[in-house]
Amino acid sequence: TFLALLTIILYTILVGFSAPTLRALIMGSVTLLAVLLGKRAIAIYALIISALIMLLINPEYIFDISFQLTFAATLGVLLFTKALERRLNKFPKWFSETLATTLAAQVLVIPLLFYYFGTVSLLSPLVNTLVLWTIPISTVLGFAFLGLTFISNFLANLSSYLLILPLTFFTAAVDFFGSFKVFVLNFEKNNLISVCGYYLLLLSLIPKYLKIRLIKR
């Protein structure tokens, strides 16, 4: 547990204290602290605590786009992933789990994307599903490459050839699917009324969603 906590801290220092990494650091620390104390770790409580701590440190985070996106995506994953997995169980498990997680994150993120950027790609869940496996591999290989640069240039160069494979696949897939402009939805930017309307509609559906979950349990 201590090793996991140390790894999270080192990773955060390495990549920088942006809102998403700081959120992950606090959530990870809260969860690991619960493990050390023999308590049950509940992810949504850890998410709320991390948001509270970050806003106490810097209240202006509330206006930060990355802060809003990371918390919306994480909350969406926590709330909707299981339900989506049940509806996608006809697909292979490796595909359905990743797709369900991606779609769950999109549920709360889409209105923010429309508000700030004015566009959303309908292919983004599929693309995320296809490339998500490259992220942990690239992260591990990236750490290995960084460590080997202090030991041996030969070994570092060798590991770089392995690192370039998942990164090349990632960028190629994103560029390829990004070229299909017909699947991109355009929306009026900074339309707060539409964003509020979306969240209010979603909020009205949550009681029914929770009722279904309780019945299935």
mmCIF file of all heavy atoms in Angstrom, residues 162-194:
data_model
loop_
_atom_site.group_PDB
_atom_site.id
_atom_site.type_symbol
_atom_site.label_atom_id
_atom_site.label_comp_id
_atom_site.label_asym_id
_atom_site.label_seq_id
_atom_site.Cartn_x
_atom_site.Cartn_y
_atom_site.Cartn_z
ATOM 1 N N LEU A 162 10.275 -0.038 -28.398
ATOM 2 C CA LEU A 162 9.064 -0.669 -27.878
ATOM 3 C C LEU A 162 8.004 0.378 -27.548
ATOM 4 O O LEU A 162 6.811 0.168 -27.778
ATOM 5 C CB LEU A 162 9.398 -1.489 -26.624
ATOM 6 C CG LEU A 162 10.345 -2.684 -26.821
ATOM 7 C CD1 LEU A 162 10.666 -3.313 -25.471
ATOM 8 C CD2 LEU A 162 9.727 -3.706 -27.761
ATOM 9 N N LEU A 163 8.458 1.511 -27.018
ATOM 10 C CA LEU A 163 7.537 2.572 -26.624
ATOM 11 C C LEU A 163 6.845 3.189 -27.834
ATOM 12 O O LEU A 163 5.675 3.576 -27.758
ATOM 13 C CB LEU A 163 8.301 3.650 -25.843
ATOM 14 C CG LEU A 163 7.520 4.897 -25.419
ATOM 15 C CD1 LEU A 163 6.353 4.513 -24.525
ATOM 16 C CD2 LEU A 163 8.446 5.877 -24.701
ATOM 17 N N ILE A 164 7.549 3.269 -28.956
ATOM 18 C CA ILE A 164 6.996 3.940 -30.123
ATOM 19 C C ILE A 164 5.839 3.160 -30.739
ATOM 20 O O ILE A 164 4.973 3.739 -31.416
ATOM 21 C CB ILE A 164 8.100 4.167 -31.183
ATOM 22 C CG1 ILE A 164 7.702 5.304 -32.134
ATOM 23 C CG2 ILE A 164 8.394 2.901 -31.951
ATOM 24 C CD1 ILE A 164 7.650 6.658 -31.490
ATOM 25 N N LEU A 165 5.776 1.843 -30.502
ATOM 26 C CA LEU A 165 4.730 1.014 -31.112
ATOM 27 C C LEU A 165 3.328 1.400 -30.640
ATOM 28 O O LEU A 165 2.456 1.709 -31.462
ATOM 29 C CB LEU A 165 5.020 -0.463 -30.861
ATOM 30 C CG LEU A 165 6.265 -1.034 -31.546
ATOM 31 C CD1 LEU A 165 6.482 -2.482 -31.131
ATOM 32 C CD2 LEU A 165 6.140 -0.922 -33.059
ATOM 33 N N PRO A 166 3.039 1.377 -29.316
ATOM 34 C CA PRO A 166 1.692 1.771 -28.880
ATOM 35 C C PRO A 166 1.384 3.236 -29.158
ATOM 36 O O PRO A 166 0.239 3.589 -29.461
ATOM 37 C CB PRO A 166 1.692 1.468 -27.376
ATOM 38 C CG PRO A 166 3.120 1.467 -26.983
ATOM 39 C CD PRO A 166 3.872 0.951 -28.157
ATOM 40 N N LEU A 167 2.401 4.094 -29.087
ATOM 41 C CA LEU A 167 2.172 5.516 -29.345
ATOM 42 C C LEU A 167 1.819 5.758 -30.809
ATOM 43 O O LEU A 167 0.957 6.585 -31.123
ATOM 44 C CB LEU A 167 3.420 6.327 -28.965
ATOM 45 C CG LEU A 167 3.772 6.362 -27.478
ATOM 46 C CD1 LEU A 167 5.052 7.164 -27.251
ATOM 47 C CD2 LEU A 167 2.638 6.943 -26.658
ATOM 48 N N THR A 168 2.486 5.033 -31.710
ATOM 49 C CA THR A 168 2.190 5.167 -33.137
ATOM 50 C C THR A 168 0.777 4.695 -33.441
ATOM 51 O O THR A 168 0.037 5.333 -34.202
ATOM 52 C CB THR A 168 3.197 4.358 -33.968
ATOM 53 O OG1 THR A 168 4.520 4.845 -33.709
ATOM 54 C CG2 THR A 168 2.894 4.485 -35.458
ATOM 55 N N PHE A 169 0.377 3.566 -32.836
ATOM 56 C CA PHE A 169 -0.977 3.060 -33.033
ATOM 57 C C PHE A 169 -1.997 4.070 -32.521
ATOM 58 O O PHE A 169 -3.018 4.334 -33.174
ATOM 59 C CB PHE A 169 -1.148 1.721 -32.315
ATOM 60 C CG PHE A 169 -2.540 1.165 -32.402
ATOM 61 C CD1 PHE A 169 -2.937 0.434 -33.505
ATOM 62 C CD2 PHE A 169 -3.459 1.394 -31.383
ATOM 63 C CE1 PHE A 169 -4.232 -0.065 -33.596
ATOM 64 C CE2 PHE A 169 -4.750 0.900 -31.469
ATOM 65 C CZ PHE A 169 -5.134 0.168 -32.577
ATOM 66 N N PHE A 170 -1.721 4.641 -31.363
ATOM 67 C CA PHE A 170 -2.636 5.620 -30.754
ATOM 68 C C PHE A 170 -2.862 6.808 -31.686
ATOM 69 O O PHE A 170 -3.998 7.163 -32.008
ATOM 70 C CB PHE A 170 -2.047 6.095 -29.420
ATOM 71 C CG PHE A 170 -2.916 7.072 -28.677
ATOM 72 C CD1 PHE A 170 -3.777 6.646 -27.679
ATOM 73 C CD2 PHE A 170 -2.876 8.423 -28.969
ATOM 74 C CE1 PHE A 170 -4.581 7.548 -26.987
ATOM 75 C CE2 PHE A 170 -3.683 9.330 -28.295
ATOM 76 C CZ PHE A 170 -4.531 8.892 -27.310
ATOM 77 N N THR A 171 -1.775 7.432 -32.129
ATOM 78 C CA THR A 171 -1.895 8.629 -32.970
ATOM 79 C C THR A 171 -2.490 8.299 -34.335
ATOM 80 O O THR A 171 -3.276 9.084 -34.881
ATOM 81 C CB THR A 171 -0.525 9.301 -33.144
ATOM 82 O OG1 THR A 171 0.418 8.339 -33.645
ATOM 83 C CG2 THR A 171 -0.013 9.842 -31.818
ATOM 84 N N ALA A 172 -2.122 7.134 -34.891
ATOM 85 C CA ALA A 172 -2.651 6.752 -36.200
ATOM 86 C C ALA A 172 -4.161 6.533 -36.138
ATOM 87 O O ALA A 172 -4.904 6.958 -37.041
ATOM 88 C CB ALA A 172 -1.948 5.490 -36.700
ATOM 89 N N ALA A 173 -4.622 5.858 -35.074
ATOM 90 C CA ALA A 173 -6.064 5.608 -34.929
ATOM 91 C C ALA A 173 -6.836 6.905 -34.744
ATOM 92 O O ALA A 173 -7.891 7.110 -35.366
ATOM 93 C CB ALA A 173 -6.305 4.675 -33.739
ATOM 94 N N VAL A 174 -6.311 7.796 -33.931
ATOM 95 C CA VAL A 174 -6.976 9.077 -33.687
ATOM 96 C C VAL A 174 -7.021 9.909 -34.963
ATOM 97 O O VAL A 174 -8.054 10.506 -35.307
ATOM 98 C CB VAL A 174 -6.265 9.849 -32.553
ATOM 99 C CG1 VAL A 174 -6.826 11.260 -32.443
ATOM 100 C CG2 VAL A 174 -6.433 9.119 -31.227
ATOM 101 N N ASP A 175 -5.900 9.965 -35.693
ATOM 102 C CA ASP A 175 -5.858 10.734 -36.943
ATOM 103 C C ASP A 175 -6.802 10.148 -37.987
ATOM 104 O O ASP A 175 -7.475 10.885 -38.720
ATOM 105 C CB ASP A 175 -4.430 10.761 -37.495
ATOM 106 C CG ASP A 175 -3.496 11.607 -36.654
ATOM 107 O OD1 ASP A 175 -4.008 12.460 -35.889
ATOM 108 O OD2 ASP A 175 -2.268 11.415 -36.737
ATOM 109 N N PHE A 176 -6.861 8.814 -38.068
ATOM 110 C CA PHE A 176 -7.697 8.166 -39.076
ATOM 111 C C PHE A 176 -9.174 8.456 -38.821
ATOM 112 O O PHE A 176 -9.891 8.911 -39.708
ATOM 113 C CB PHE A 176 -7.451 6.653 -39.077
ATOM 114 C CG PHE A 176 -8.371 5.883 -39.982
ATOM 115 C CD1 PHE A 176 -8.194 5.910 -41.351
ATOM 116 C CD2 PHE A 176 -9.421 5.138 -39.446
ATOM 117 C CE1 PHE A 176 -9.060 5.206 -42.196
ATOM 118 C CE2 PHE A 176 -10.284 4.441 -40.280
ATOM 119 C CZ PHE A 176 -10.097 4.480 -41.654
ATOM 120 N N PHE A 177 -9.637 8.196 -37.608
ATOM 121 C CA PHE A 177 -11.046 8.411 -37.310
ATOM 122 C C PHE A 177 -11.390 9.895 -37.216
ATOM 123 O O PHE A 177 -12.535 10.281 -37.442
ATOM 124 C CB PHE A 177 -11.424 7.704 -36.009
ATOM 125 C CG PHE A 177 -11.504 6.215 -36.135
ATOM 126 C CD1 PHE A 177 -10.468 5.406 -35.679
ATOM 127 C CD2 PHE A 177 -12.596 5.614 -36.728
ATOM 128 C CE1 PHE A 177 -10.529 4.027 -35.803
ATOM 129 C CE2 PHE A 177 -12.677 4.231 -36.852
ATOM 130 C CZ PHE A 177 -11.643 3.433 -36.395
ATOM 131 N N GLY A 178 -10.393 10.717 -36.885
ATOM 132 C CA GLY A 178 -10.632 12.153 -36.833
ATOM 133 C C GLY A 178 -10.869 12.775 -38.197
ATOM 134 O O GLY A 178 -11.366 13.908 -38.298
ATOM 135 N N SER A 179 -10.517 12.062 -39.253
ATOM 136 C CA SER A 179 -10.700 12.582 -40.604
ATOM 137 C C SER A 179 -12.147 12.477 -41.079
ATOM 138 O O SER A 179 -12.526 13.090 -42.069
ATOM 139 C CB SER A 179 -9.788 11.822 -41.583
ATOM 140 O OG SER A 179 -10.136 10.442 -41.640
ATOM 141 N N PHE A 180 -12.991 11.703 -40.359
ATOM 142 C CA PHE A 180 -14.393 11.543 -40.740
ATOM 143 C C PHE A 180 -15.219 12.676 -40.118
ATOM 144 O O PHE A 180 -15.854 12.513 -39.077
ATOM 145 C CB PHE A 180 -14.918 10.183 -40.285
ATOM 146 C CG PHE A 180 -14.255 9.015 -40.949
ATOM 147 C CD1 PHE A 180 -13.232 8.333 -40.305
ATOM 148 C CD2 PHE A 180 -14.633 8.612 -42.218
ATOM 149 C CE1 PHE A 180 -12.606 7.258 -40.905
ATOM 150 C CE2 PHE A 180 -14.007 7.540 -42.835
ATOM 151 C CZ PHE A 180 -12.996 6.858 -42.187
ATOM 152 N N LYS A 181 -15.219 13.816 -40.782
ATOM 153 C CA LYS A 181 -15.892 14.999 -40.242
ATOM 154 C C LYS A 181 -17.414 14.861 -40.223
ATOM 155 O O LYS A 181 -18.104 15.590 -39.508
ATOM 156 C CB LYS A 181 -15.508 16.229 -41.075
ATOM 157 C CG LYS A 181 -14.006 16.505 -41.128
ATOM 158 C CD LYS A 181 -13.440 16.752 -39.749
ATOM 159 C CE LYS A 181 -11.943 17.067 -39.816
ATOM 160 N NZ LYS A 181 -11.345 17.247 -38.477
ATOM 161 N N VAL A 182 -17.935 13.899 -41.000
ATOM 162 C CA VAL A 182 -19.374 13.737 -41.075
ATOM 163 C C VAL A 182 -19.962 13.251 -39.747
ATOM 164 O O VAL A 182 -21.149 13.443 -39.466
ATOM 165 C CB VAL A 182 -19.740 12.748 -42.214
ATOM 166 C CG1 VAL A 182 -19.275 11.338 -41.874
ATOM 167 C CG2 VAL A 182 -21.243 12.759 -42.491
ATOM 168 N N PHE A 183 -19.117 12.645 -38.920
ATOM 169 C CA PHE A 183 -19.581 12.121 -37.632
ATOM 170 C C PHE A 183 -19.382 13.117 -36.488
ATOM 171 O O PHE A 183 -19.493 12.747 -35.328
ATOM 172 C CB PHE A 183 -18.859 10.822 -37.301
ATOM 173 C CG PHE A 183 -19.192 9.692 -38.225
ATOM 174 C CD1 PHE A 183 -18.304 9.312 -39.221
ATOM 175 C CD2 PHE A 183 -20.398 9.021 -38.114
ATOM 176 C CE1 PHE A 183 -18.609 8.269 -40.091
ATOM 177 C CE2 PHE A 183 -20.713 7.981 -38.979
ATOM 178 C CZ PHE A 183 -19.823 7.609 -39.973
ATOM 179 N N VAL A 184 -19.068 14.364 -36.821
ATOM 180 C CA VAL A 184 -18.844 15.390 -35.805
ATOM 181 C C VAL A 184 -20.096 16.253 -35.671
ATOM 182 O O VAL A 184 -20.611 16.779 -36.658
ATOM 183 C CB VAL A 184 -17.633 16.273 -36.173
ATOM 184 C CG1 VAL A 184 -17.488 17.414 -35.165
ATOM 185 C CG2 VAL A 184 -16.361 15.440 -36.210
ATOM 186 N N LEU A 185 -20.607 16.375 -34.451
ATOM 187 C CA LEU A 185 -21.758 17.227 -34.181
ATOM 188 C C LEU A 185 -21.282 18.617 -33.795
ATOM 189 O O LEU A 185 -20.373 18.770 -32.970
ATOM 190 C CB LEU A 185 -22.598 16.647 -33.040
ATOM 191 C CG LEU A 185 -23.278 15.295 -33.288
ATOM 192 C CD1 LEU A 185 -24.037 14.881 -32.030
ATOM 193 C CD2 LEU A 185 -24.213 15.359 -34.477
ATOM 194 N N ASN A 186 -21.883 19.618 -34.400
ATOM 195 C CA ASN A 186 -21.547 21.003 -34.090
ATOM 196 C C ASN A 186 -22.674 21.636 -33.305
ATOM 197 O O ASN A 186 -23.862 21.371 -33.557
ATOM 198 C CB ASN A 186 -21.298 21.788 -35.388
ATOM 199 C CG ASN A 186 -20.083 21.281 -36.131
ATOM 200 O OD1 ASN A 186 -18.977 21.304 -35.608
ATOM 201 N ND2 ASN A 186 -20.281 20.807 -37.352
ATOM 202 N N PHE A 187 -22.293 22.467 -32.346
ATOM 203 C CA PHE A 187 -23.269 23.059 -31.443
ATOM 204 C C PHE A 187 -22.813 24.470 -31.120
ATOM 205 O O PHE A 187 -21.628 24.800 -31.239
ATOM 206 C CB PHE A 187 -23.369 22.217 -30.165
ATOM 207 C CG PHE A 187 -24.633 22.420 -29.387
ATOM 208 C CD1 PHE A 187 -25.831 21.903 -29.835
ATOM 209 C CD2 PHE A 187 -24.618 23.126 -28.191
ATOM 210 C CE1 PHE A 187 -27.005 22.066 -29.110
ATOM 211 C CE2 PHE A 187 -25.778 23.294 -27.460
ATOM 212 C CZ PHE A 187 -26.976 22.764 -27.926
ATOM 213 N N GLU A 188 -23.747 25.282 -30.700
ATOM 214 C CA GLU A 188 -23.408 26.660 -30.334
ATOM 215 C C GLU A 188 -22.594 26.686 -29.040
ATOM 216 O O GLU A 188 -23.016 26.126 -28.026
ATOM 217 C CB GLU A 188 -24.686 27.480 -30.150
ATOM 218 C CG GLU A 188 -24.416 28.939 -29.805
ATOM 219 C CD GLU A 188 -25.713 29.708 -29.549
ATOM 220 O OE1 GLU A 188 -26.790 29.106 -29.722
ATOM 221 O OE2 GLU A 188 -25.620 30.883 -29.160
ATOM 222 N N LYS A 189 -21.427 27.304 -29.095
ATOM 223 C CA LYS A 189 -20.571 27.391 -27.908
ATOM 224 C C LYS A 189 -21.170 28.352 -26.879
ATOM 225 O O LYS A 189 -21.912 29.259 -27.207
ATOM 226 C CB LYS A 189 -19.165 27.860 -28.303
ATOM 227 C CG LYS A 189 -18.390 26.872 -29.152
ATOM 228 C CD LYS A 189 -17.086 27.462 -29.634
ATOM 229 C CE LYS A 189 -16.155 27.805 -28.489
ATOM 230 N NZ LYS A 189 -14.840 28.287 -28.973
ATOM 231 N N ASN A 190 -20.790 28.103 -25.618
ATOM 232 C CA ASN A 190 -21.163 28.981 -24.496
ATOM 233 C C ASN A 190 -22.676 29.110 -24.327
ATOM 234 O O ASN A 190 -23.168 30.157 -23.880
ATOM 235 C CB ASN A 190 -20.529 30.367 -24.672
ATOM 236 C CG ASN A 190 -19.024 30.303 -24.761
ATOM 237 O OD1 ASN A 190 -18.378 29.502 -24.095
ATOM 238 N ND2 ASN A 190 -18.443 31.143 -25.613
ATOM 239 N N ASN A 191 -23.407 28.051 -24.696
ATOM 240 C CA ASN A 191 -24.859 28.057 -24.528
ATOM 241 C C ASN A 191 -25.187 27.404 -23.189
ATOM 242 O O ASN A 191 -25.380 26.197 -23.089
ATOM 243 C CB ASN A 191 -25.520 27.302 -25.681
ATOM 244 C CG ASN A 191 -27.027 27.503 -25.707
ATOM 245 O OD1 ASN A 191 -27.661 27.680 -24.661
ATOM 246 N ND2 ASN A 191 -27.606 27.488 -26.897
ATOM 247 N N LEU A 192 -25.262 28.221 -22.162
ATOM 248 C CA LEU A 192 -25.455 27.716 -20.802
ATOM 249 C C LEU A 192 -26.845 27.118 -20.608
ATOM 250 O O LEU A 192 -27.012 26.178 -19.833
ATOM 251 C CB LEU A 192 -25.219 28.847 -19.797
ATOM 252 C CG LEU A 192 -25.179 28.452 -18.317
ATOM 253 C CD1 LEU A 192 -24.063 27.444 -18.069
ATOM 254 C CD2 LEU A 192 -24.986 29.682 -17.439
ATOM 255 N N ILE A 193 -27.834 27.638 -21.318
ATOM 256 C CA ILE A 193 -29.204 27.138 -21.171
ATOM 257 C C ILE A 193 -29.291 25.676 -21.602
ATOM 258 O O ILE A 193 -29.913 24.846 -20.934
ATOM 259 C CB ILE A 193 -30.179 28.000 -22.000
ATOM 260 C CG1 ILE A 193 -30.221 29.424 -21.444
ATOM 261 C CG2 ILE A 193 -31.570 27.382 -21.997
ATOM 262 C CD1 ILE A 193 -31.105 30.365 -22.230
ATOM 263 N N SER A 194 -28.632 25.336 -22.712
ATOM 264 C CA SER A 194 -28.657 23.954 -23.202
ATOM 265 C C SER A 194 -27.954 23.011 -22.234
ATOM 266 O O SER A 194 -28.404 21.886 -22.008
ATOM 267 C CB SER A 194 -28.004 23.878 -24.581
ATOM 268 O OG SER A 194 -28.725 24.641 -25.522
#
